[in-house]
Amino acid sequence: MRVGKSALALFVLTGGFAWPPAAFSQNTDSQNFPNLSGGWARTGALVETFEAIPGYSGAGPMLVDPLHPHREGGSGQDVQWVAQLDNPILKPAIRARLQTITEEEIQGISHLKNEGLCQPSGVPMILNRRGAAVQILQTPTQVVMLNARDSQARFVYLNVPHSKNPGHSWYGESVGHYEGEDTLVVDTIGQNDRTQVDRFGTPHSDQIHVVERYRLSADHRTIEVQFTVDDPGAFTMPWSGRARFARRQADWDEQVCAENNRFVGTVTVGGKITTTVPTPTADKPDF
């Protein structure tokens, strides 16, 4: 019951009723489309980073520097997230910003993620959230992706074009369509520049355009999401990566960041060393 109320509240707050009636005219009940509904959890060797797409020869995501490997469950410096800065997708200004974060990581000072600051993750970073259950809800006109942590939600409107002027918001505007019986394609524009695209703190501009392809496996037990990021304001070229999910039928356990404030030690936030991590507040909605 808690999930339903949260979904309804978020639907109202994010302007879900703004689409004209014509946008809801197509009836997908009579079509074959992938059943993505239910609970999901990230899988992979490092569930907080994207993976390169096997066999893909184009530009890929930022990866862990092999000279400073990250070890899940390790201790000391082997749990730091050190980016491999020779990736050709980085523009000089972006590389310089990451250089500061990377140097501090090598020294044992962690970079705090957006979710650690109680902020929305944005796209594609929402695919990288660690330890939070994901629930997907499908209707003939939209797909809703709910996250237990911080009650974050995405709304994908089906079979409609983008707005002429979507503005800029944390998650932007996502429209989608089904391809065949196993794939959901999602196209997202209109994001602000306040989120990061990965665990390493890589920033992006408000020109970011993300296309995701959610492909359901034949046994309906896993989803592979391949995506492409095109952002001429931050990157030298479009790049692609993937994230994988497995079905997770677990109880929904809400996790509220702002109600779990604690001293996290010395960290870097936006490339600056700090021991103070404030809880974000807003006088009015900014989505």
Side-chain angles (χ1 to χ4, degrees):
M1 192 65 176
R2 183 186 303 168
V3 176
K5 291 181 178 178
S6 299
L8 178 60
L10 286 165
F11 183 64
V12 174
L13 288 173
T14 53
F17 293 110
W19 289 99
F24 299 90
S25 61
Q26 181 163 342
N27 181 9
T28 58
D29 290 340
S30 61
Q31 300 178 359
N32 293 324
F33 58 92
N35 181 11
L36 308 175
S37 60
W40 300 91
R42 269 296 303 271
T43 61
L46 297 176
V47 296
E48 290 185 76
T49 57
F50 296 123
E51 301 171 327
I53 299 174
Y56 179 66
S57 59
M62 296 296 293
L63 300 174
V64 173
D65 188 338
L67 298 179
H68 302 278
H70 175 91
R71 294 181 176 84
E72 293 289 348
S75 61
Q77 292 186 354
D78 63 356
V79 298
Q80 306 308 311
W81 294 94
V82 179
Q84 190 173 9
L85 295 180
D86 60 357
N87 192 320
I89 67 173
L90 298 176
K91 284 192 170 184
I94 302 298
R95 179 176 284 106
R97 182 171 176 178
L98 285 179
Q99 182 72 45
T100 300
I101 295 174
T102 299
E103 290 175 353
E104 298 301 336
E105 286 279 352
I106 293 174
Q107 297 300 317
I109 301 176
S110 298
H111 173 75
L112 199 60
K113 296 186 295 183
N114 285 343
E115 64 184 61
L117 296 170
C118 308
Q119 294 180 347
S121 300
V123 183
M125 185 60 181
I126 188 64
L127 299 172
N128 261 342
R129 291 174 65 82
R130 177 192 178 105
V134 177
Q135 191 81 13
I136 297 180
L137 311 176
Q138 290 175 274
T139 77
T141 56
Q142 65 179 302
V143 176
V144 183
M145 302 178 184
L146 301 173
N147 282 259
R149 180 172 292 174
D150 305 337
S151 300
Q152 293 197 44
R154 287 185 68 191
F155 297 87
V156 179
Y157 299 95
L158 299 175
N159 306 308
V160 295
H162 278 297
S163 305
K164 291 183 179 180
N165 297 295
H168 293 98
S169 58
W170 288 99
Y171 280 113
E173 180 182 81
S174 295
V175 300
H177 65 274
Y178 296 115
E179 290 187 357
E181 299 182 11
D182 65 353
T183 302
L184 168 68
V185 181
V186 180
D187 188 290
T188 300
I189 62 173
Q191 294 189 79
N192 61 35
D193 61 357
R194 300 173 64 182
T195 63
Q196 302 156 350
V197 298
D198 56 34
R199 179 64 181 85
F200 307 106
T202 307
H204 63 81
S205 78
D206 61 9
Q207 301 176 53
I208 188 170
H209 177 196
V210 184
V211 177
E212 304 158 275
R213 299 179 65 86
Y214 292 73
R215 186 174 184 181
L216 185 66
S217 63
D219 62 5
H220 295 188
R221 298 184 65 181
T222 62
I223 294 176
E224 179 179 88
V225 186
Q226 295 189 4
F227 64 90
T228 297
V229 173
D230 186 5
D231 183 357
F235 304 111
T236 60
M237 65 189 81
W239 55 272
S240 301
R242 75 168 183 172
R244 292 175 290 160
F245 294 81
R247 283 206 179 272
R248 175 183 176 182
Q249 299 300 331
D251 293 335
W252 189 266
D253 181 20
E254 285 187 319
Q255 303 172 33
V256 182
C257 175
E259 293 180 359
N260 190 32
N261 299 331
R262 64 190 186 282
F263 176 69
V264 295
T266 302
V267 296
T268 60
V269 176
K272 299 180 179 180
I273 299 177
T274 182
T275 57
T276 303
V277 182
T279 300
T281 58
D283 295 328
K284 61 181 180 179
D286 59 356
F287 46 77

